[in-house]
Amino acid sequence: MGIDDFLTINRMTIPEFELRMKAAELKQLDRIHELHILAWAINQARATKRNGRPVFRTFRSFFDFEKQEKKILEYGKKSELLSRYIQRKKEYMSRREAEKRGEL
């Protein structure tokens, strides 16, 4: 649980202890999941075709870091563009409504 102070431990309520234990178990489960993903990746990296040649000739063909990074960074740009588009659409619609009412 990451607590090494006995005073803090003694002041903990039963529900708080149970919650912290559940959190610690979930954290351990996440670590086990990461290890299994690593084992799977190692297995995939060692994979060979029927003729004995490796499936992945370079690390980049196995995992293209730059491509993944670009995807993540572009996602943020898309979100910004989308929010800007929504804002402009709202402004356009409010101007259009104002024109219909004869305010502009």
Side-chain angles (χ1 to χ4, degrees):
M1 290 190 306
I3 302 172
D4 54 359
D5 178 24
F6 286 112
L7 186 59
T8 304
I9 293 170
N10 284 333
R11 290 181 179 168
M12 208 181 306
T13 63
I14 299 294
E16 183 182 357
F17 173 79
E18 290 173 349
L19 185 64
R20 286 180 182 260
M21 284 301 296
K22 190 175 284 193
E25 289 172 353
L26 288 171
K27 187 175 182 180
Q28 184 177 9
L29 179 62
D30 285 342
R31 179 71 179 132
I32 291 169
H33 183 246
E34 289 174 4
L35 290 172
H36 280 78
I37 289 172
L38 176 62
W40 179 258
I42 290 169
N43 186 38
Q44 292 298 318
R46 281 196 235 158
T48 58
K49 298 178 183 177
R50 288 184 183 210
N51 61 7
R53 292 177 130 190
V55 173
F56 303 104
R57 300 197 76 153
T58 64
F59 178 75
R60 186 178 217 151
S61 67
F62 177 68
F63 180 75
D64 190 346
F65 180 85
E66 287 80 16
K67 183 178 177 182
Q68 297 300 321
E69 183 180 40
K70 188 177 178 182
K71 264 190 196 175
I72 291 167
L73 295 175
E74 283 179 357
Y75 175 77
K77 288 181 183 178
K78 287 179 185 174
S79 296
E80 289 172 18
L81 288 173
L82 183 60
S83 62
R84 217 176 314 145
Y85 168 76
I86 291 169
Q87 181 61 35
R88 288 185 179 172
K89 177 79 173 178
K90 286 179 183 178
E91 291 170 3
Y92 169 77
M93 294 305 286
S94 65
R95 268 189 264 123
R96 192 168 171 193
E97 287 294 318
E99 286 175 1
K100 284 182 181 178
R101 291 185 302 241
E103 295 174 5
L104 291 177

